[in-house]
Amino acid sequence: MGLRERKKEKTRLALLDAALDLFLEQGYESTTVEQIAGAVDVSPRTFFRYFTSKDHLVLWFHDHGEEIMLETLESRPPDEPPFTALMHALRAVLSDMQGSTPEESARFLKLRRILEENPRLIGQSVARGAQTEHRLAELVAGLRGADPDTDQLSHLIVAFAMSTLRVGFECPRRDGTLVEITDRMSETIELAERSLQPGWDLR
Amino acid sequence: MGLRERKKEKTRLALLDAALDLFLEQGYESTTVEQIAGAVDVSPRTFFRYFTSKDHLVLWFHDHGEEIMLETLESRPPDEPPFTALMHALRAVLSDMQGSTPEESARFLKLRRILEENPRLIGQSVARGAQTEHRLAELVAGLRGADPDTDQLSHLIVAFAMSTLRVGFECPRRDGTLVEITDRMSETIELAERSLQPGWDLR
DNA sequence: CTGACTTATGGCACACTGTGACAGAAGGGT
DNA sequence: ACCCTTCTGTCACAGTGTGCCATAAGTCAG
């Protein structure tokens, strides 16, 4: 990796960290892009080359999680029931989180606090999840050999899976360590699995 | 109802209809608030007194649906299983749609087309759903005698219910009549009910 | 190391959304 | 007719996000 790419990655993370800290200090709304860029000695114009919008800062982790889910899903045996496969994908996201560096964990925890304090951002985050959902639904429909446009069950399977992820992520209201959060999330996954009829995702 | 209120309601609907038509003609992004306001001979500033944002135009029906759901939920017998009660609330939304005037139906169908063409707006719509979800989760936690902050099942119950609504709303990709859509949505509701273990929402 | 290249950056102008403040117009009640 | 309340338009303004172009910095020959 050349100097150029390393520098870019450094700037991206510097912007991200500066932004997260500013959001926690003075709130999301009252932090301007100008401030964020200023804290990293970069022009506002450049900020928008790293993050397409202010919201994007808060959504970057979705991109990462989505990537993991899609990869996992493709590596599962094709005859596995779709919801089971999705639950494996969820667990893959969890174990990625558990294996993250201290910096990454810190970012994640800060992000959770910011989201808790800004309902509007939770919305944005959910909205991003909806896009992921759509891609996953197409994949699941493919697995089931169904038309992604009309097969309601494919969509329902994915929707339930993403709901599970979201509940696990949002539910532990009080601040906790990363381990506590991931533990909580795997409880949610088990709860969801126990709640559904065996084989519901096959017919 | 005085002349004043009637006039306000008229302006609100005029703005809404003008906006929906413009969105369909030239797309959501490339329609400006100035155009919408201009079409109704109103200043842009006034537009923002009727709708808090451009997005709000597309989200207004959520407010209506949420209202119905909350009302229905409160009128259900308190010992009814929460998910069952939520499914009744969903059906209440459907029957409200079926009983709507031709103008309202037309708006609804236009809105669906606009949402189909603008994934970003689907996101916004889902995000609004997330807020509703939170309110509902507190209500359900109350029914279950649980702490809304920590009881994951309450959140999961509501999340699954809202997923059902959303899948029903989004899934019938092809344009259809209102009746076709509501029929499709009640199929989705039944599908969800069949997929879950009996009593999953009680323990 | 020099020059030619590719790519990132900064600065500028600009369109658009959304808000606060104030003055004037329009409805409502007496 | 009067006052009072509420709605409206105008203006000014902060902030987000984009296109464009000149310049600076990284890259890669030779």
Side-chain angles (χ1 to χ4, degrees):
Chain A
M1 217 209 275
L3 167 61
R4 200 167 222 157
E5 288 188 50
R6 267 180 290 133
K7 208 170 171 182
K8 264 181 86 173
E9 200 53 29
K10 211 173 126 190
T11 309
R12 158 167 275 112
L13 290 177
L15 283 170
L16 184 56
D17 285 329
L20 291 179
D21 288 335
L22 283 168
F23 291 164
L24 282 175
E25 272 171 44
Q26 30 173 312
Y28 178 82
E29 296 291 352
S30 36
T31 302
T32 67
V33 170
E34 202 179 349
Q35 288 178 304
I36 301 169
V40 189
D41 258 317
V42 153
S43 78
R45 186 68 188 82
T46 298
F47 171 89
F48 285 109
R49 291 199 176 95
Y50 282 93
F51 298 92
T52 53
S53 70
K54 203 175 143 189
D55 290 351
H56 190 206
L57 278 166
V58 176
L59 263 33
W60 102 97
F61 83 104
H62 260 288
D63 302 344
H64 185 56
E66 174 179 315
E67 212 176 306
I68 294 178
M69 285 193 71
L70 288 170
E71 279 171 17
T72 310
L73 217 55
E74 277 165 11
S75 73
R76 301 297 308 174
D79 58 330
E80 189 174 47
F83 190 73
T84 311
L86 282 166
M87 291 297 113
H88 278 288
L90 257 46
R91 287 191 230 269
V93 175
L94 289 193
S95 57
D96 174 79
M97 281 171 53
Q98 281 157 355
S100 64
T101 66
E103 288 85 17
E104 288 167 340
S105 305
R107 272 178 214 122
F108 178 78
L109 291 173
K110 281 179 191 172
L111 179 64
R112 263 194 93 258
R113 269 200 285 159
I114 294 166
L115 284 174
E116 268 181 31
E117 288 162 17
N118 299 72
R120 202 207 120 225
L121 286 180
I122 291 215
Q124 290 296 322
S125 163
V126 176
R128 181 61 140 254
Q131 294 176 27
T132 305
E133 227 173 283
H134 216 266
R135 249 171 271 180
L136 288 173
E138 288 182 359
L139 229 158
V140 167
L143 287 174
R144 294 174 31 83
D147 176 9
D149 282 357
T150 56
D151 184 50
Q152 304 194 55
L153 188 50
S154 297
H155 288 265
L156 202 62
I157 291 166
V158 177
F160 279 7
M162 294 297 286
S163 294
T164 306
L165 178 62
R166 202 152 35 75
V167 170
F169 177 77
E170 289 171 19
C171 199
R173 272 262 156 289
R174 307 268 154 253
D175 295 321
T177 64
L178 192 102
V179 181
E180 282 170 357
I181 293 173
T182 52
D183 281 358
R184 203 74 204 279
M185 287 173 81
S186 53
E187 276 174 37
T188 315
I189 295 176
E190 282 160 30
L191 184 57
E193 284 173 328
R194 266 179 290 144
S195 299
L196 288 150
Q197 297 266 17
W200 72 284
D201 52 343
L202 290 176
R203 187 72 281 266
Chain B
M1 217 209 276
L3 167 60
R4 200 165 224 157
E5 287 187 51
R6 267 182 290 132
K7 209 170 174 183
K8 264 181 86 173
E9 201 52 29
K10 211 174 127 190
T11 309
R12 155 165 279 112
L13 290 177
L15 283 169
L16 184 56
D17 285 329
L20 290 178
D21 288 335
L22 284 168
F23 291 164
L24 281 175
E25 272 172 42
Q26 30 172 312
Y28 178 81
E29 297 290 354
S30 36
T31 302
T32 67
V33 171
E34 201 178 348
Q35 286 177 306
I36 301 169
V40 189
D41 258 316
V42 154
S43 78
R45 187 65 186 86
T46 298
F47 170 88
F48 285 110
R49 292 197 176 98
Y50 282 93
F51 297 93
T52 54
S53 70
K54 203 175 144 188
D55 290 352
H56 191 207
L57 278 167
V58 176
L59 263 33
W60 104 97
F61 83 103
H62 260 288
D63 300 345
H64 185 56
E66 175 179 315
E67 211 176 308
I68 293 177
M69 286 193 71
L70 288 171
E71 278 170 18
T72 309
L73 216 55
E74 277 166 10
S75 73
R76 300 298 306 175
D79 58 330
E80 190 173 47
F83 190 74
T84 310
L86 282 166
M87 291 298 110
H88 279 287
L90 258 46
R91 287 191 230 268
V93 174
L94 289 194
S95 57
D96 175 79
M97 280 170 53
Q98 281 158 354
S100 63
T101 67
E103 289 84 15
E104 286 167 342
S105 304
R107 274 177 212 122
F108 179 78
L109 291 173
K110 282 181 191 171
L111 179 64
R112 262 195 93 257
R113 270 202 285 159
I114 294 166
L115 284 174
E116 267 180 30
E117 287 162 17
N118 298 73
R120 202 206 119 224
L121 286 181
I122 291 215
Q124 291 296 323
S125 162
V126 176
R128 181 59 140 253
Q131 293 176 27
T132 306
E133 227 172 285
H134 218 265
R135 249 170 272 180
L136 289 172
E138 289 182 359
L139 228 157
V140 167
L143 287 174
R144 293 173 32 81
D147 176 10
D149 282 356
T150 57
D151 184 49
Q152 303 194 57
L153 188 50
S154 296
H155 288 265
L156 202 62
I157 291 166
V158 177
F160 279 8
M162 293 298 286
S163 294
T164 306
L165 177 62
R166 199 152 36 75
V167 169
F169 177 78
E170 288 171 21
C171 201
R173 273 263 156 289
R174 306 271 154 250
D175 293 321
T177 64
L178 192 102
V179 181
E180 282 169 358
I181 293 174
T182 53
D183 281 357
R184 203 75 205 279
M185 287 174 82
S186 55
E187 276 174 36
T188 314
I189 294 176
E190 282 160 30
L191 184 57
E193 284 173 327
R194 266 179 290 143
S195 299
L196 288 150
Q197 298 267 13
W200 72 283
D201 54 342
L202 290 178
R203 189 71 278 270

